[in-house]
Amino acid sequence: MNLLKYCIQHLRIFKLDQMLNHKNNPWVDRYRSLLDPVSIKERALVKPEPLEKLFEINIELACIKLKDSLETAFYPTRQCIDILQRLAGVAYAHSVEIYPSNQAFISRIYDDRDNEDDSNDFAAPICLTGLSGIGKSEILKAFKRLVGQETYIKVDAHHPPFHIRGPRLMTLKTLSTPTQIAKSLFNVDVNAANLASQCRNKGFQDGIPFFMLDESQFATASSTANARITQILLSLSYIGIPFLFSANFSLLHRLLKRPEEDRQRLLSKPIILLPDEWESECWINTLRTLKEVAPDVLKFDPVNDAKKLHGWTAGRKRALVGLIIIAFRYQHASGKELNIQALEKAYLSPEFYDYRHDSEIIANQIATNQANRQRKELWCPIPIPESVKTPHSDNQNTIRDETIADIELKSSLTASEKAAYKEINGLVNNTKTKTAITKTQRNEKQTSQDLLENTAKFKESMGL
């Protein structure tokens, strides 16, 4: 038996080698360039046209334009490139194996496979997981953008051109069922009995080597959520085409409660997307890319302010975009630029409370290496490989302690002390102010009521 498996394995390798050397294969060629990380980085980068005169238009319209551009901007970090390269490799390998030649394609088109055992075509899915707002959806959109262009190919003189659609992407909704998802993904009418075979054949004909399901946790909003999402994922697995489902940590916690056979099938290929470290080039370049969206308005320093912005948002782009929009709303009436002081005001605002509270919890979890029992969706329930662990707990401790100490200090200062602090802070950060340093009045003492009020304000600002 072992000898038979050995021979089959090497026969497959031989066939793959032969096919890899086969040129001008339209099903395969579209993924070749994405096997190179340099090519991925160049092609995946998105820099929208810089916005101008945002202070001169209606605040609501200005916020919409700024938010759309910030969300569109995409800097492919090291983690993003690694994930995109892996997805491209999966689609490439599947295409090589399934589309060896034009003749094989035509032969398969006329081959009736409806009566075959679907269990032979089971494809365990990839699970892309991470914190909400970390950038999972952006990666999937980037992959579809890179290789999702539709085209036609002429196979021979006896058939009209065939349609090649490329990878498919859809977002799950609360009421989704396997048949609804299959119809949307493959544009084919199916029922529970023929779902796998119909989708497999249609996917083959349309050149779909890979498909992706985003926001899978949306299918977990009922008492039967665990069973529903498991049924969806298993049904799609039997199509036999490689696929990925994206999910927040909350869905992983649910799936881990499933029986062992379900867990092994659905969670055997996890990819964990984590925040980049604050001092990394990836985080700094992400800040640079966002700043270039509106250079006349966004005046924070991507290098010097990287640490604070990371601490305030826990490295989540969605939180960072939310922080910028809140700060922009505050500054719009005055037409003043968004520097780090304006962003700090937004960080302490009531509008940013949810993000601020979650950032604190995430920082505490990293510092203590313990999950918050009341917020499981902020903790990865599966072990994180050492090769991708980031950021370090020491860094998070430092960021958190410095943020709290800085806010606590300023909340306890008198008016003259605050002016002096502002001037000194400006000099330290090489910024100019119009007023001279104000000397602190030694005889200006705070009353007990002042201290109580300042402490209450500090606790309120930190969500404590």
Side-chain angles (χ1 to χ4, degrees):
M1 189 64 179
N2 290 334
L3 179 60
L4 178 60
K5 288 183 178 179
Y6 177 85
C7 293
I8 292 175
Q9 179 181 4
H10 280 73
L11 177 60
R12 287 177 177 173
I13 293 174
F14 175 77
K15 288 172 63 181
L16 285 173
D17 288 339
Q18 292 296 102
M19 290 183 282
L20 286 172
N21 293 325
H22 182 67
K23 297 181 180 180
N24 300 321
N25 184 325
W27 294 280
V28 175
D29 291 344
R30 63 193 330 198
Y31 302 103
R32 292 187 190 276
S33 63
L34 293 180
L35 302 179
D36 175 23
V38 176
S39 177
I40 292 176
K41 186 172 184 177
E42 292 176 351
R43 295 173 56 188
L45 177 66
V46 177
K47 290 187 176 182
E49 285 294 321
L51 298 172
E52 299 178 348
K53 301 180 179 180
L54 285 175
F55 290 126
E56 299 178 15
I57 61 178
N58 172 269
I59 184 172
E60 299 302 331
L61 180 59
C63 287
I64 290 174
K65 286 180 173 291
L66 181 57
K67 185 173 184 289
D68 287 347
S69 291
L70 289 171
E71 291 176 344
T72 300
F74 180 71
Y75 176 80
T77 65
R78 177 187 57 80
Q79 288 186 88
C80 293
I81 294 171
D82 289 345
I83 293 171
L84 289 171
Q85 188 177 18
R86 177 171 175 180
L87 302 188
V90 171
Y92 174 78
H94 182 77
S95 299
V96 166
E97 185 174 6
I98 300 300
Y99 303 100
S101 66
N102 290 2
Q103 294 76 16
F105 174 77
I106 292 297
S107 177
R108 169 79 178 270
I109 289 294
Y110 291 105
D111 182 19
D112 183 7
R113 307 184 71 209
D114 288 352
N115 295 325
E116 291 191 9
D117 183 2
D118 289 334
S119 63
N120 295 327
D121 293 288
F122 185 88
I126 295 172
C127 174
L128 175 62
T129 188
L131 288 166
S132 175
I134 196 66
K136 301 183 294 297
S137 297
E138 287 189 280
I139 293 176
L140 303 188
K141 291 177 183 177
F143 186 62
K144 187 175 185 295
R145 184 174 67 247
L146 292 177
V147 293
Q149 300 82 359
E150 299 187 2
T151 186
Y152 289 87
I153 60 169
K154 184 70 174 176
V155 177
D156 57 25
H158 307 289
H159 295 83
F162 284 90
H163 196 189
I164 295 184
R165 301 178 68 188
R168 304 293 293 164
L169 169 63
M170 74 166 293
T171 300
L172 291 189
K173 305 299 182 182
T174 304
L175 300 178
S176 293
T177 64
T179 53
Q180 291 173 340
I181 295 169
K183 289 177 181 178
S184 177
L185 281 170
F186 296 95
N187 192 27
V188 62
D189 190 19
V190 298
N191 54 45
N194 65 11
L195 184 150
S197 59
Q198 289 290 88
C199 290
R200 180 166 53 246
N201 292 338
K202 190 64 164 61
F204 174 81
Q205 181 176 322
D206 288 352
I208 300 175
F210 192 80
F211 63 91
M212 300 168 285
L213 306 176
D214 196 14
E215 303 286 10
S216 300
Q217 65 274 0
F218 282 173
T220 62
S222 69
S223 59
T224 59
N226 291 8
R228 173 183 293 177
I229 188 61
T230 301
Q231 179 193 19
I232 290 173
L233 296 176
L234 289 178
S235 297
L236 298 176
S237 297
Y238 284 107
I239 294 173
I241 297 176
F243 79 100
L244 173 150
F245 70 97
S246 170
N248 294 345
F249 291 148
S250 56
L251 178 55
L252 260 65
H253 284 282
R254 289 180 176 272
L255 291 178
L256 286 172
K257 296 178 181 178
R258 297 295 300 171
E260 180 182 7
E261 59 270 21
D262 291 342
R263 298 198 308 270
Q264 291 177 350
R265 291 179 176 183
L266 300 180
L267 298 177
S268 62
K269 299 179 180 179
I271 298 178
I272 305 172
L273 181 63
L274 299 171
D276 295 299
E277 295 185 47
W278 71 265
E279 72 266 45
S280 69
E281 283 297 316
C282 290
W283 176 248
I284 293 172
N285 285 333
T286 296
L287 296 178
R288 288 190 177 120
T289 302
L290 294 182
K291 183 179 179 181
E292 291 173 4
V293 163
D296 295 338
V297 175
L298 304 179
K299 296 296 183 179
F300 59 84
D301 189 319
V303 176
N304 293 331
D305 298 333
K307 190 174 185 178
K308 283 188 175 181
L309 292 173
H310 193 285
W312 295 343
T313 63
R316 298 165 295 163
K317 183 182 175 182
R318 185 185 300 168
L320 181 59
V321 171
L323 182 72
I324 293 173
I325 296 301
I326 293 171
F328 178 72
R329 280 189 174 276
Y330 283 154
Q331 302 293 91
H332 186 271
S334 64
K336 293 182 179 179
E337 62 190 25
L338 270 68
N339 54 21
I340 193 63
Q341 287 77 26
L343 291 169
E344 182 177 30
K345 180 181 178 182
Y347 169 72
L348 296 172
S349 69
E351 295 93 330
F352 199 73
Y353 171 77
D354 282 339
Y355 282 126
R356 183 173 70 244
H357 188 56
D358 287 355
S359 295
E360 272 291 295
I361 293 175
I362 293 169
N364 283 332
Q365 288 182 155
I366 294 174
T368 62
N369 195 31
Q370 291 183 348
N372 185 305
R373 294 181 179 180
Q374 297 179 344
R375 298 295 304 277
K376 290 185 177 181
E377 75 276 14
L378 299 178
W379 178 263
C380 182
I382 59 178
I384 299 174
E386 290 291 336
S387 59
V388 297
K389 277 190 177 180
T390 173
H392 298 303
S393 60
D394 291 344
N395 290 339
Q396 287 300 303
N397 272 328
T398 302
I399 293 173
R400 181 180 182 277
D401 292 345
E402 289 180 357
T403 299
I404 292 177
D406 188 52
I407 295 171
E408 187 174 21
L409 169 65
K410 283 184 282 185
S411 70
S412 65
L413 297 178
T414 64
S416 59
E417 288 171 340
K418 287 180 180 178
Y421 175 88
K422 183 177 181 180
E423 179 67 23
I424 294 171
N425 189 58
L427 293 173
V428 170
N429 290 284
N430 296 320
T431 59
K432 296 180 180 180
T433 57
K434 295 181 180 180
T435 59
I437 297 178
T438 303
K439 293 183 179 180
T440 303
Q441 299 296 322
R442 294 289 182 180
N443 59 351
E444 188 174 345
K445 297 182 179 180
Q446 296 188 51
T447 66
S448 58
Q449 183 63 31
D450 291 333
L451 293 174
L452 288 173
E453 290 178 357
N454 289 334
T455 300
K457 290 178 182 179
F458 166 69
K459 289 183 176 180
E460 181 181 0
S461 69
M462 295 303 296
L464 301 176

